[in-house]
Amino acid sequence: MNERGEHDEVDRIIEAWGTQRPDLDFSPLEVLSRVDRLSRHLDRARREAFRRSDIEPWEWDVLSALRRAGDPYQLSPKQLLQQTLVSSGTMTNRIDRLVGRRLVRRAADPSDGRSVLVTLTSDGRTRVDAAITRLVDAEAALLAALSRSDRDRLAVLLRKLSLSFDV
C-alpha cells in the first residue's frame, strides 16, 4: 500500500499469503514480484518499439551494439559475442540473417586478413535509430508516475542490487 492507501495486485497477493502463511516474511515479494510484473510491461513495450521499427529483439541486440560502437559502426564477431552473451554458432547465424536482410555487411578486417568485421548498413542504422527513439519514449511512458528524483533514487537502488549479482 502506498501513502495514498492504494493497493496493487502484489499487495493483494501478499495479504492473501500472509493470511495463509503468517509464519513467513513476504517482504522480498513486495520488491521482486513488482520487478517481475514491471519486467513484463517493459518486455511488451520493447517488443512493440522493435516491431514498429521492423526488427526483432535479437536483431536489436546486434544492431544496437554496432550503433553504440560509433562511426564506422563495426565490430568483430568476437566483440559482438562479448556484448550479446550468445554462443559463437548463434552469433554466426544472427550475422548471416542480418546480412540477408541487408542490415549489416561483412568485410575483411584490413588489419588482419584472416578476420572479418561486421558493419552496420545505412538501413540498419535507420532502423536501430528509430527503435531507440521509440524505446526511450515507451520507457519514459512506463516511468511517468515517478518524478525525476524518484527515478534517480530507484536507479541507484537497482544498480546496487544488480552489482550484487555481478561479483
Side-chain angles (χ1 to χ4, degrees):
M1 181 165 43
N2 69 10
E3 58 270 3
R4 293 184 296 206
E6 298 169 323
H7 285 51
D8 66 2
E9 187 61 22
V10 173
D11 290 321
R12 289 184 272 285
I13 290 168
I14 290 171
E15 185 179 324
W17 272 118
T19 301
Q20 298 303 311
R21 293 292 312 268
D23 58 309
L24 295 177
D25 172 13
F26 292 100
S27 61
L29 272 67
E30 290 187 68
V31 175
L32 297 177
S33 290
R34 286 185 175 96
V35 168
D36 180 56
R37 288 172 168 279
L38 293 169
S39 174
R40 290 184 228 166
H41 289 287
L42 176 59
D43 187 52
R44 279 196 295 270
R46 285 183 169 188
R47 287 184 182 281
E48 178 61 16
F50 301 151
R51 185 196 64 75
R52 291 181 55 216
S53 302
D54 193 28
I55 60 174
E56 296 292 327
W58 67 265
E59 292 174 315
W60 163 258
D61 289 343
V62 177
L63 298 176
S64 67
L66 291 166
R67 180 64 170 99
R68 290 189 315 266
D71 195 15
Y73 313 111
Q74 62 185 198
L75 296 169
S76 69
K78 182 178 180 180
Q79 290 170 310
L80 285 168
L81 282 172
Q82 292 167 338
Q83 291 196 31
T84 59
L85 304 176
V86 297
S87 72
S88 151
T90 298
M91 181 53 66
T92 298
N93 180 278
R94 289 180 175 186
I95 294 168
D96 289 345
R97 291 171 67 186
L98 289 166
V99 167
R101 290 195 63 199
R102 293 178 164 68
L103 300 177
V104 303
R105 67 178 178 274
R106 280 189 182 98
D109 184 341
S111 64
D112 178 359
R114 297 167 297 164
S115 299
V116 299
L117 292 172
V118 179
T119 306
L120 193 62
T121 64
S122 62
D123 189 29
R125 183 174 173 190
T126 298
R127 288 181 199 229
V128 77
D129 282 354
I132 191 62
T133 300
R134 289 181 173 116
L135 182 60
V136 168
D137 290 346
E139 291 186 6
L142 290 174
L143 294 172
L146 298 178
S147 69
R148 181 61 196 210
S149 98
D150 284 345
R151 287 169 32 183
D152 291 346
R153 281 197 317 264
L154 182 57
V156 166
L157 293 171
L158 291 172
R159 181 180 303 108
K160 182 178 182 180
L161 182 60
S162 178
L163 287 170
S164 74
F165 290 98
D166 293 342
V167 259

Short mmCIF file of all heavy atoms in Angstrom, two decimals, residues 143 146-163:
data_model
loop_
_atom_site.label_atom_id
_atom_site.label_comp_id
_atom_site.label_asym_id
_atom_site.label_seq_id
_atom_site.Cartn_x
_atom_site.Cartn_y
_atom_site.Cartn_z
N LEU A 143 7.59 5.02 -16.92
CA LEU A 143 8.07 5.65 -15.68
C LEU A 143 7.35 6.97 -15.36
O LEU A 143 7.74 7.66 -14.42
CB LEU A 143 9.57 5.90 -15.79
CG LEU A 143 10.44 4.66 -15.85
CD1 LEU A 143 11.89 5.03 -16.15
CD2 LEU A 143 10.34 3.85 -14.56
N LEU A 146 6.57 8.39 -11.86
CA LEU A 146 7.66 8.75 -10.94
C LEU A 146 8.24 10.10 -11.30
O LEU A 146 8.43 10.41 -12.48
CB LEU A 146 8.77 7.70 -11.01
CG LEU A 146 8.43 6.27 -10.62
CD1 LEU A 146 9.66 5.38 -10.80
CD2 LEU A 146 7.92 6.20 -9.19
N SER A 147 8.58 10.88 -10.27
CA SER A 147 9.29 12.14 -10.50
C SER A 147 10.72 11.81 -10.92
O SER A 147 11.20 10.68 -10.75
CB SER A 147 9.32 12.97 -9.21
OG SER A 147 10.17 12.33 -8.25
N ARG A 148 11.43 12.81 -11.43
CA ARG A 148 12.83 12.60 -11.83
C ARG A 148 13.66 12.16 -10.63
O ARG A 148 14.50 11.27 -10.73
CB ARG A 148 13.39 13.90 -12.45
CG ARG A 148 14.82 13.77 -12.92
CD ARG A 148 14.92 12.71 -14.00
NE ARG A 148 16.29 12.31 -14.20
CZ ARG A 148 16.75 11.90 -15.36
NH1 ARG A 148 15.98 11.84 -16.41
NH2 ARG A 148 18.00 11.53 -15.46
N SER A 149 13.42 12.74 -9.47
CA SER A 149 14.22 12.37 -8.30
C SER A 149 13.87 10.95 -7.84
O SER A 149 14.75 10.21 -7.41
CB SER A 149 14.08 13.40 -7.19
OG SER A 149 13.17 13.05 -6.22
N ASP A 150 12.60 10.54 -7.95
CA ASP A 150 12.23 9.15 -7.64
C ASP A 150 12.92 8.19 -8.60
O ASP A 150 13.41 7.14 -8.19
CB ASP A 150 10.71 8.94 -7.73
CG ASP A 150 9.96 9.51 -6.54
OD1 ASP A 150 10.58 9.82 -5.50
OD2 ASP A 150 8.71 9.65 -6.66
N ARG A 151 12.95 8.54 -9.88
CA ARG A 151 13.61 7.70 -10.88
C ARG A 151 15.10 7.58 -10.58
O ARG A 151 15.68 6.49 -10.67
CB ARG A 151 13.39 8.24 -12.29
CG ARG A 151 11.98 8.01 -12.76
CD ARG A 151 11.55 8.71 -13.99
NE ARG A 151 12.54 8.96 -15.02
CZ ARG A 151 12.28 9.62 -16.14
NH1 ARG A 151 11.06 10.07 -16.38
NH2 ARG A 151 13.22 9.82 -17.02
N ASP A 152 15.72 8.69 -10.21
CA ASP A 152 17.15 8.67 -9.88
C ASP A 152 17.42 7.77 -8.67
O ASP A 152 18.36 6.98 -8.67
CB ASP A 152 17.67 10.08 -9.62
CG ASP A 152 17.71 10.95 -10.87
OD1 ASP A 152 17.60 10.39 -12.00
OD2 ASP A 152 17.83 12.19 -10.74
N ARG A 153 16.59 7.90 -7.63
CA ARG A 153 16.76 7.06 -6.43
C ARG A 153 16.56 5.59 -6.76
O ARG A 153 17.31 4.73 -6.29
CB ARG A 153 15.78 7.48 -5.33
CG ARG A 153 16.21 8.72 -4.57
CD ARG A 153 15.48 8.90 -3.25
NE ARG A 153 14.07 8.64 -3.29
CZ ARG A 153 13.10 9.55 -3.44
NH1 ARG A 153 13.42 10.81 -3.57
NH2 ARG A 153 11.84 9.21 -3.43
N LEU A 154 15.53 5.30 -7.56
CA LEU A 154 15.27 3.92 -7.94
C LEU A 154 16.43 3.36 -8.75
O LEU A 154 16.85 2.22 -8.55
CB LEU A 154 13.96 3.84 -8.73
CG LEU A 154 13.52 2.45 -9.18
CD1 LEU A 154 13.38 1.50 -8.00
CD2 LEU A 154 12.21 2.55 -9.96
N ALA A 155 16.99 4.15 -9.65
CA ALA A 155 18.13 3.69 -10.46
C ALA A 155 19.32 3.35 -9.56
O ALA A 155 20.00 2.34 -9.79
CB ALA A 155 18.51 4.76 -11.48
N VAL A 156 19.57 4.17 -8.54
CA VAL A 156 20.68 3.91 -7.62
C VAL A 156 20.45 2.59 -6.88
O VAL A 156 21.35 1.75 -6.77
CB VAL A 156 20.85 5.08 -6.62
CG1 VAL A 156 21.75 4.70 -5.46
CG2 VAL A 156 21.38 6.31 -7.33
N LEU A 157 19.23 2.37 -6.40
CA LEU A 157 18.93 1.14 -5.67
C LEU A 157 19.00 -0.08 -6.57
O LEU A 157 19.54 -1.12 -6.18
CB LEU A 157 17.54 1.24 -5.02
CG LEU A 157 17.42 2.26 -3.89
CD1 LEU A 157 15.97 2.43 -3.47
CD2 LEU A 157 18.28 1.85 -2.70
N LEU A 158 18.49 0.02 -7.78
CA LEU A 158 18.54 -1.11 -8.71
C LEU A 158 19.97 -1.41 -9.13
O LEU A 158 20.35 -2.58 -9.29
CB LEU A 158 17.65 -0.86 -9.93
CG LEU A 158 16.15 -0.86 -9.64
CD1 LEU A 158 15.37 -0.40 -10.86
CD2 LEU A 158 15.68 -2.23 -9.17
N ARG A 159 20.79 -0.38 -9.31
CA ARG A 159 22.21 -0.58 -9.63
C ARG A 159 22.89 -1.34 -8.49
O ARG A 159 23.65 -2.29 -8.72
CB ARG A 159 22.92 0.74 -9.89
CG ARG A 159 24.40 0.57 -10.26
CD ARG A 159 25.11 1.90 -10.50
NE ARG A 159 24.46 2.68 -11.54
CZ ARG A 159 23.75 3.81 -11.31
NH1 ARG A 159 23.61 4.28 -10.08
NH2 ARG A 159 23.18 4.45 -12.31
N LYS A 160 22.62 -0.91 -7.26
CA LYS A 160 23.21 -1.57 -6.09
C LYS A 160 22.82 -3.04 -6.05
O LYS A 160 23.67 -3.91 -5.83
CB LYS A 160 22.73 -0.86 -4.81
CG LYS A 160 23.30 -1.41 -3.54
CD LYS A 160 22.81 -0.60 -2.35
CE LYS A 160 23.39 -1.09 -1.05
NZ LYS A 160 22.90 -0.29 0.10
N LEU A 161 21.56 -3.34 -6.31
CA LEU A 161 21.12 -4.73 -6.32
C LEU A 161 21.75 -5.49 -7.49
O LEU A 161 22.25 -6.60 -7.31
CB LEU A 161 19.58 -4.78 -6.43
CG LEU A 161 18.95 -6.16 -6.40
CD1 LEU A 161 19.29 -6.91 -5.11
CD2 LEU A 161 17.44 -6.05 -6.57
N SER A 162 21.79 -4.87 -8.65
CA SER A 162 22.37 -5.51 -9.83
C SER A 162 23.85 -5.84 -9.62
O SER A 162 24.32 -6.92 -9.98
CB SER A 162 22.18 -4.59 -11.04
OG SER A 162 22.76 -5.14 -12.18
N LEU A 163 24.58 -4.93 -9.04
CA LEU A 163 26.01 -5.14 -8.80
C LEU A 163 26.26 -6.31 -7.86
O LEU A 163 27.29 -6.98 -7.95
CB LEU A 163 26.67 -3.87 -8.27
CG LEU A 163 26.86 -2.76 -9.28
CD1 LEU A 163 27.29 -1.46 -8.59
CD2 LEU A 163 27.86 -3.16 -10.35
#
